[in-house]
Amino acid sequence: MGALIKICGIRRNEDADYINEAKPDYAGFIFWDKSFRYVDLETALRLRAKIDPCIKTVAVFVDESRERIIETVKSGAVSVVQLHGSEDEIYIRKLKEELPDNTKIWKAYKVRNAEDIAAAEASAADEILLDNGYGTGECFDHRLLGDGSGLGRRFILAGGMRPDNIAEAIKKFSPYMIDISSGVETDKYKDKDKIRRAVDACRSCR
């Protein structure tokens, strides 16, 4: 039992400081300009330089051009690409061929029914992320997961995660990783104490 943890939506110098203190496994930058958590490449590079090298960074894109994604990865800002839009299998396979070696691709799926989970299981992405939507802070219907063992591959659990429900989710569904953003925010800004508690909740289950 146990899960890794990603803190997503890093956008300020303070956020990087909080991350360095709490030491999650991953930190995420949002490159979708419709999100209030959006950062440009210059900001991401500055924050990456502040974040402890042992913490891997992830770029979150929504229906972005492959050219921009490749540029972002080659800049050194991130080593993982998270696709959160309508990217299909052809897109994912082409992107895999074009990205630098050792770059991982995660694909997020909005879960509404068993068919969505089946589509996630069949994905060509390196990891799959099961979510409710675009940073809604709400859970999808977790009953669709059963106890998590029925899925044919490991998965990242997102949507509605909070410091006080992470341990229960890990116990019930055995996810590979917890992805959390709004659950560690207060008034839409990252909260140092909530980040620490979320990371501690994951660590306590290992």
Side-chain angles (χ1 to χ4, degrees), residues 73-91:
V73 172
K74 287 185 174 179
S75 75
V78 300
S79 58
V80 180
V81 170
Q82 180 176 318
L83 304 175
H84 226 293
S86 58
E87 303 89 358
D88 60 17
E89 288 296 289
I90 294 174
Y91 180 101

Side-chain angles (χ1 to χ4, degrees), residues 117-132:
I117 292 180
E121 287 182 289
S123 175
D126 297 293
E127 304 291 350
I128 56 171
L129 185 148
L130 306 181
D131 199 358
N132 184 54

Side-chain angles (χ1 to χ4, degrees), residues 70 108 118-119 173:
I70 293 164
F173 309 118

Side-chain angles (χ1 to χ4, degrees), residues 20 23-26 48 51-57:
N20 286 337
K23 292 288 192 298
D25 302 283
Y26 292 86
R48 170 67 274 189
I51 293 172
D52 190 317
C54 73
I55 301 169
K56 297 179 181 179
T57 46

Side-chain angles (χ1 to χ4, degrees), residues 15-66:
D15 300 343
D17 293 337
Y18 302 162
I19 290 295
N20 286 337
E21 289 186 36
K23 292 288 192 298
D25 302 283
Y26 292 86
F29 302 129
I30 307 295
F31 286 91
W32 185 44
D33 61 9
K34 292 181 175 60
S35 171
F36 70 85
R37 303 182 184 101
Y38 168 77
V39 296
D40 57 21
L41 183 54
E42 181 181 358
T43 301
L45 284 166
R46 173 171 52 79
L47 293 172
R48 170 67 274 189
K50 285 181 63 70
I51 293 172
D52 190 317
C54 73
I55 301 169
K56 297 179 181 179
T57 46
V58 181
V60 179
F61 292 102
V62 178
D63 296 322
E64 187 55 77
S65 70
R66 296 198 307 276

